[in-house]
Structures are given as structure tokens and as C-alpha cells.
Amino acid sequence: MADIDKSDFSFTLDGKKCKFDYAYIIIHGTPGEDGVLQGYFEMVNIPYSSSNVQSSALTFNKYFCNNYLRSFNIRMAESVRLIEGEKYSAAQIIESLGLPCLVKPSAGGSSFGVTKVKVAEDLVEAVNKALTKARKRLSNNY
């Protein structure tokens, strides 16, 4: 196994420097779908297979993506953005969105951390689950 030279995404094997012509990104979630790898490959001038940095970063964050799409008069489900550490009212959320509702981490590509809340008593637990999943995704080291 050879170490990758992160300055140009190359490696040395048997005394020969090997470089990649193209990156086929197949990593699910962070850092493959959120723009991190795309940005890195752009910095080291390696073409890659997925959407660009801006598109990847925007679509990975559901809240920002939904609001961006709303600016083009595209109908989106109503949502409430909750930020860890800030107080919120479960009753106000339910009044605003109704039940059942879905609680999902804003940053993430899959269904991890998603809960369908059918009764008011389950909302706080669902929010805590989503915030925990979001925290874990953001704390990944690349």
C-alpha cells in the first residue's frame, strides 16, 4: 500500500510517481456527495465524475436547497430549521407543519436519522436523533 501525496493526489510505487487522470466518485455521503472531494479534485486539477462543488454542497443541505428552489417558485414542503443548542417549541412546530411530519438532518444524503412523527410526544426524540446524526456527519475527519 502506498501513501497518497495530498498535494496532487499521486502516490509513489517502486520509485515511480503515479498520477490519476480522472476520479470516479462513488463515496456515499460525506465527503463524496457534499462537495468536499469535488473541491479537492478541482484544487489539484483532476477531473471527476459527479456534479460540481456548488451543486453538491447546495443539494447536500436540504434546508438551503429547498429555499433555493423556492426562489424559483418551485413548490416545496413546508419546513422548520432547528439549530442545535437553540430552544424550540414542539407545539409551534406541530402547529406550523401538522402531523404526521418528517424530521431529518439537514445535511445528509440518505435516510439515516429520518423519523416520521405521527404523535406530538415523539417529536422531541426525533429532533434529538436528527441532531445527533447531523453532528456525527459534521465531525467526520477527512
Side-chain angles (χ1 to χ4, degrees):
M1 188 159 130
D3 290 331
I4 297 291
D5 178 348
K6 293 178 184 164
S7 69
D8 64 359
F9 200 63
S10 67
F11 63 96
T12 303
L13 186 63
D14 297 328
K16 181 181 176 187
K17 185 171 186 164
C18 301
K19 294 180 112 179
F20 293 90
D21 296 323
Y22 187 79
Y24 186 70
I25 300 174
I26 58 173
I27 297 173
H28 179 67
T30 301
E33 291 180 284
D34 62 359
V36 172
L37 275 179
Q38 294 84 340
Y40 170 71
F41 288 133
E42 286 184 12
M43 288 190 314
V44 296
N45 295 312
I46 296 176
Y48 53 87
S49 62
S50 65
S51 58
N52 65 22
V53 174
Q54 295 84 357
S55 297
S56 298
L58 176 65
T59 58
F60 201 70
N61 186 299
K62 306 312 174 243
Y63 181 79
F64 294 139
C65 185
N66 287 349
N67 283 317
Y68 176 74
L69 294 172
R70 278 189 189 102
S71 74
F72 295 99
N73 294 319
I74 296 172
R75 291 183 52 183
M76 305 298 296
E78 292 300 316
S79 63
V80 174
R81 181 179 182 207
L82 302 178
I83 298 173
E84 188 169 20
E86 290 185 2
K87 292 183 179 186
Y88 66 91
S89 166
Q92 285 179 336
I93 292 171
I94 291 169
E95 183 179 322
S96 174
L97 301 178
L99 289 175
C101 68
L102 295 172
V103 177
K104 180 180 188 346
S106 185
S110 64
S111 59
F112 294 118
V114 175
T115 304
K116 183 174 184 178
V117 176
K118 298 176 184 176
V119 295
E121 296 77 30
D122 293 342
L123 183 64
V124 172
E125 182 180 343
V127 168
N128 290 337
K129 177 181 173 184
L131 290 172
T132 298
K133 289 290 184 186
R135 188 180 328 110
K136 285 181 182 177
R137 287 190 182 277
L138 295 175
S139 67
N140 286 339
N141 295 321
Y142 329 115

